[in-house]
Amino acid sequence: MRVSIVGSGYVGTTVAACLADLGNEVRAIDVDRRVVEPINAGTSPIHEPGLEPLVSAYGGDTLRATTDYGAVTDTEVTVLALPTPTDSAGGINLEAMEAGTRSVGEALRHAEDYHLVVVKSTVIPGTTAERLVPILEDASGRREGVDFGVAVNPEFQREGSAVEDFMEPDKIVLGTDGDERALDRLARLYEPLVAQWETPVVETGRREAEMIKYANNAFLAAKISLINDIGNICKEFGVDTYEVADALGLDDRISDQFLRSGVGWGGSCFPKDVDALRVAARDAGYEPAVLDAAVELNDKQPRRLLSLLDDHVDAEGCRVAVLGLSFKPGTDDIRNSRAIPIIEGLLDRGAEIVAYDPVATEPMRERFPDIEYTEAAIDALDGVYGAVVITDWDEFATLDTEFDAMARPVVVDGRRIVKRRDGITYEGLTW
């Protein structure tokens, strides 16, 4: 099929490259030439495992990027993969989404055939019908359901495994409100994946599809906060939370996924989606007590980690290493990384911070330009009086003699990635 993708961030670039790999002709549309030019040159603008080879293989060929929304009229399907960040009140900011939707509508004014617009961005239930469809109709001068269709197709891609998640999905959600042409075209787009993996396909309404994404992330965020709460209790009783979680995971009603307790969740999706859902619930007159508790617990975990460091190190005037800056391994994304409140807490204590991450140094340097960054973990540990582990990069599991370079070998592990051994004072956050 001929597909245009509006937005070339973490979601859009991955979707575009994967659809090209499935044999489609893809046009990636983005307002930033600094994103467009690398894609056409065969280089991924973001760090994501498995993405670079796809962009290298198809960039400039069956995957071409442009700043011109006119590319929409050369395609059958347009996917909106634009950011919906958190606004000052905790809800979603639709500025980019509405601007992109208007540009797509203006392009559709010149289209001759039926066109399908697919909302892949995460939006509150009702947003597509009440905010986006009117913009499309106004800008295009055409009628939804007659001249063009609008579907909701939420993404379930985790940063660090986005390519795998797209190519081997757990489920595909198609929200169309009964528009058979929209459903048929969207089903054809995903047919190769469904045929290969026998992927469950959920055919539902647009409001339901919008809600499914929020419910998915809210449930996972709450699950992490629950195991962290249990983990904090376990720590008080000298119980290893991970042994408890191993037993919990054997219950098929619970499963073993998202039971790794630690310093908490971050990234772009969980924080903004849970906050947006809480705000929307309150606007509708409902108090989301469980989600409020999940967020409160998550916000406390970095402070608990720092309190464990305080038990062993007076950070004022001391060098302290921060290992891991991205919000999770496999990505250079620092949005809502747990390293941010940790660094802020250490700065409040008067610590001299030295930080290391395999790929996320430059984004964090923009946030904290005045702390020291190293190119290797051993350099970060040299001469420090304490180390905190924030991201569970695999290389941290192999650290051993490197800790001998510390002035005082105190390690507070927020992810259970460092091996406890003789010669270091080791504190696990929840074990």
Side-chain angles (χ1 to χ4, degrees):
M1 298 178 70
R2 291 171 287 114
V3 185
S4 49
I5 311 291
V6 179
S8 295
Y10 282 91
V11 173
T13 303
T14 302
V15 171
C18 289
L19 287 177
D21 192 48
L22 292 174
N24 300 286
E25 292 279 343
V26 182
R27 298 294 174 265
I29 302 172
D30 198 281
V31 296
D32 191 344
R33 287 193 176 277
R34 294 172 298 176
V35 172
V36 167
E37 291 172 0
I39 291 175
N40 288 332
T43 301
S44 173
I46 60 173
H47 178 88
E48 182 66 38
L51 185 57
E52 186 74 33
L54 296 182
V55 177
S56 176
Y58 305 108
D61 186 14
T62 54
L63 168 59
R64 282 187 280 165
T66 180
T67 59
D68 183 8
Y69 273 84
V72 164
T73 58
D74 296 327
T75 62
E76 306 162 76
V77 177
T78 295
V79 177
L80 297 173
L82 291 160
T84 53
T86 303
D87 64 20
S88 59
I92 60 172
N93 183 328
L94 289 172
E95 288 182 7
M97 192 67 180
E98 291 181 339
T101 300
R102 182 162 295 280
S103 294
V104 169
E106 290 169 353
L108 289 179
R109 184 175 287 273
H110 307 289
E112 297 180 359
D113 300 323
Y114 174 88
H115 193 92
L116 176 61
V117 178
V118 179
V119 177
K120 188 166 279 291
S121 302
T122 305
V123 294
I124 289 293
T127 301
T128 298
E130 298 164 14
R131 301 282 291 272
L132 304 184
V133 168
I135 291 173
L136 285 169
E137 290 187 325
D138 177 68
S140 69
R142 308 176 83 197
R143 292 176 296 168
E144 188 254 337
V146 178
D147 304 304
F148 66 88
V150 181
V152 176
N153 170 226
E155 54 87 14
F156 301 97
Q157 298 161 217
R158 299 164 295 173
E159 288 184 43
S161 60
V163 171
E164 180 182 354
D165 290 343
F166 185 92
M167 299 299 277
E168 302 178 26
D170 292 328
K171 60 179 175 288
I172 295 172
V173 178
L174 311 179
T176 62
D177 282 357
D179 183 338
E180 291 299 327
R181 285 189 295 176
L183 182 60
D184 176 68
R185 191 163 291 189
L186 198 49
R188 283 196 293 119
L189 186 65
Y190 286 107
E191 185 177 6
L193 297 180
V194 175
Q196 181 176 2
W197 303 109
E198 298 183 355
T199 304
V201 176
V202 179
E203 297 179 4
T204 187
R206 294 188 299 209
R207 295 174 71 94
E208 287 76 13
E210 290 166 328
M211 187 64 197
I212 286 168
K213 175 58 186 288
Y214 279 103
N216 213 90
N217 281 351
F219 192 94
L220 295 175
K223 186 175 182 180
I224 295 171
S225 286
L226 177 57
I227 194 60
N228 282 341
D229 206 16
I230 292 170
N232 293 340
I233 297 170
C234 287
K235 179 75 173 180
E236 297 300 315
F237 285 96
V239 172
D240 188 331
T241 314
Y242 277 67
E243 292 189 23
V244 174
D246 285 345
L248 287 175
L250 297 175
D251 191 321
D252 61 11
R253 297 168 300 174
I254 297 173
S255 90
D256 60 352
Q257 296 190 58
F258 289 82
L259 287 183
R260 291 183 57 83
S261 60
V263 74
W265 37 268
S268 64
C269 290
F270 283 6
K272 80 176 183 68
D273 290 354
V274 174
D275 283 347
L277 191 57
R278 293 162 67 211
V279 169
R282 288 195 171 88
D283 288 345
Y286 178 78
E287 289 296 322
V290 172
L291 293 183
D292 286 347
V295 172
E296 181 182 4
L297 193 288
N298 195 61
D299 290 344
K300 287 180 178 178
Q301 291 304 97
R303 297 197 294 271
R304 285 185 59 87
L305 184 143
L306 288 171
S307 71
L308 290 175
L309 181 67
D310 291 339
D311 290 342
H312 304 282
V313 176
D314 181 357
E316 184 173 5
C318 289
R319 283 172 62 83
V320 176
V322 177
L323 300 181
L325 301 174
S326 59
F327 86 92
K328 65 181 291 188
T331 180
D332 59 353
D333 194 350
I334 65 164
R335 288 176 291 180
N336 294 292
S337 167
R338 298 295 84 192
I340 293 172
I342 296 292
I343 290 172
E344 290 172 341
L346 289 171
L347 290 174
D348 289 342
R349 287 164 169 76
E352 180 183 339
I353 300 170
V354 53
Y356 167 72
D357 188 281
V359 299
T361 293
E362 291 312 312
M364 193 63 83
R365 196 193 303 273
E366 294 182 9
R367 178 72 180 261
F368 296 103
D370 297 326
I371 69 175
E372 181 182 346
Y373 298 89
T374 67
E375 295 184 0
I378 178 62
D379 297 329
L381 292 170
D382 188 21
V384 301
Y385 284 76
V388 292
V389 183
I390 312 303
T391 314
D392 46 340
W393 288 100
D394 287 343
E395 68 176 87
F396 296 156
T398 64
L399 294 175
D400 187 9
T401 57
E402 290 84 352
F403 293 119
D404 296 335
M406 298 175 68
R408 183 180 299 168
V410 174
V411 178
V412 182
D413 189 353
R415 298 296 185 188
R416 198 182 176 100
I417 188 70
V418 171
K419 294 181 176 64
R420 187 192 303 267
R421 71 165 177 85
D422 293 338
I424 64 173
T425 300
Y426 177 90
E427 283 275 13
L429 180 55
T430 61
W431 58 93

